[in-house]
């Protein structure tokens, strides 16, 4: 268990990620995963996945009138084999390999916010996005970028609502896959509980500023922070 000062630092990081996700629809794990991994690798994926589940529940309820979960059906189905493959990667890769995968997942999130390429919202692309989301979410709790890319041209309220509904159900899938694979321990659940107040704080802080900040500014800041963190992870994994 990390000491108290590291717990407070982790809570601050999770609160920041919760604010970002509440404002743009995804981002908690993209922001938090590399930073938490530096603090203590045990924060990723299970405790962080639990925080992603909680913020998704809050945002789903908050945006429930802009949610069409039926439209996400094929992505949810594809999430299952993706989560199973993610579990296989966790079981067969060492710590450096997982560190590199986390960095790749984070950078994919940055790229998804930079590109202007319009991915069609259809059955095939939903299956592909759901499958990739399942891999990244199970390995690093980062399931947002593939789904955000396919939904980026929808209205902001619908993006928040549909992504939140998808993440609530898909994070549950990944959690039970990790549980069945023996990757969920009591100390992971304890860390998850310690981080929970930070998610609640981030959610309510986002509510206070949601109409006062530019989403584009949030994206720029998120891109910079995440890129630096991801490249630091890669450097550490390759050269240390």
């Amino acid at each position: 268990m990390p000491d108290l000062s590291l717990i407070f630092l982790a809570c601050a990081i999770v609160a920041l990620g919760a604010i970002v996700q509440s404002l743009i629809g995804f981002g908690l794990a993209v922001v938090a995963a590399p930073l938490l991994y530096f603090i203590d690798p045990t924060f990723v994926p299970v405790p962080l996945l639990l925080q992603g589940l909680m913020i998704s529940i809050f945002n789903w309820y908050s945006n429930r009138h802009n949610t069409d979960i039926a439209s996400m059906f094929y992505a949810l189905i594809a999430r299952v084999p993706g989560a199973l493959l993610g579990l296989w990667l966790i079981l067969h890769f060492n710590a450096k390999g997982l560190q590199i995968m986390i960095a790749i997942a984070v950078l994919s999130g940055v790229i998804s916010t930079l590109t202007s390429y319009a991915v069609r919202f259809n059955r095939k692309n939903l299956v592909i996005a759901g499958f990739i989301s399942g891999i990244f979410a199970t390995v690093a709790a980062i399931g947002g970028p593939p789904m955000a890319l396919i939904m980026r041209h929808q209205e902001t309220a619908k993006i928040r609502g549909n992504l939140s509904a998808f993440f609530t159900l898909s994070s549950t899938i990944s959690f039970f896959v990790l549980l069945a694979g023996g990757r969920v321990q009591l100390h992971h659940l304890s860390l998850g509980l310690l981080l929970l107040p930070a998610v609640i704080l981030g959610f309510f802080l986002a509510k206070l500023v949601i109409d006062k900040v530019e989403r584009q500014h949030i994206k720029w800041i998120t891109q910079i922070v995440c890129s630096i963190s991801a490249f630091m992870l890669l450097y550490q994994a390759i050269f240390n």
Side-chain angles (χ1 to χ4, degrees):
M1 180 76 67
D3 63 39
L4 192 59
S5 61
L6 293 182
I7 292 291
F8 278 116
L9 179 57
C11 284
I13 292 168
V14 168
L16 175 62
I19 292 172
V20 171
Q21 180 149 334
S22 297
L23 292 176
I24 67 175
F26 79 106
L28 186 152
V30 176
V31 171
L35 298 174
L36 291 179
Y37 197 89
F38 279 125
I39 294 173
D40 190 324
T42 57
F43 280 116
V44 184
V46 177
L48 184 55
L49 184 66
L50 292 173
Q51 307 319 303
L53 173 60
M54 294 311 300
I55 192 65
S56 297
I57 292 172
F58 296 154
N59 283 320
W60 185 3
Y61 180 79
S62 181
N63 295 278
R64 61 192 181 280
H65 301 302
N66 294 294
T67 301
D68 178 17
I69 190 60
S71 66
M72 314 298 290
F73 174 77
Y74 293 103
L76 284 168
I77 295 299
R79 177 81 178 225
V80 176
L84 292 172
L85 178 55
L87 175 63
W88 183 88
L89 292 172
I90 289 175
L91 295 175
H92 290 84
F93 276 71
N94 59 22
K96 284 193 174 183
L98 293 175
Q99 195 169 331
I100 291 171
M101 283 190 285
I102 291 171
I104 291 172
V106 172
L107 290 174
S108 73
V110 173
I111 293 170
S112 74
T113 62
L114 289 174
T115 181
S116 59
Y117 179 70
V119 179
R120 293 184 63 187
F121 190 87
N122 57 30
R123 183 185 302 181
K124 181 185 75 173
N125 289 336
L126 280 168
V127 169
I128 294 171
F131 181 75
I132 297 173
S133 175
I135 297 171
F136 283 171
T138 307
V139 170
I142 303 173
M147 298 305 302
L149 184 61
I150 201 173
M151 297 178 63
R152 62 179 299 150
H153 297 299
Q154 295 184 5
E155 296 176 9
T156 302
K158 288 185 177 180
I159 292 175
R160 291 196 195 106
N162 286 334
L163 283 180
S164 297
F166 174 80
F167 294 148
T168 298
L169 299 175
S170 59
S171 295
T172 303
I173 291 170
S174 290
F175 176 80
F176 279 107
V177 166
L178 288 167
L179 181 65
R183 305 301 293 186
V184 179
Q185 306 297 329
L186 184 60
H187 69 278
H188 293 138
L189 301 179
S190 298
L191 285 175
L193 286 175
L194 288 173
L195 294 175
L196 181 57
V199 165
I200 297 172
L201 176 63
F203 173 76
F204 283 106
L205 286 176
K207 288 297 179 185
L208 295 176
V209 301
I210 196 167
D211 295 322
K212 302 175 183 178
V213 298
E214 291 286 338
R215 291 178 73 250
Q216 194 60 42
H217 294 164
I218 296 295
K219 284 186 178 182
W220 290 341
I221 295 170
T222 302
Q223 288 161 1
I224 293 170
V225 171
C226 292
S227 297
I228 293 172
S229 300
F231 282 117
M232 287 175 64
L233 271 181
L234 283 175
Y235 180 86
Q236 186 184 60
I238 294 171
F239 296 105
N240 289 352

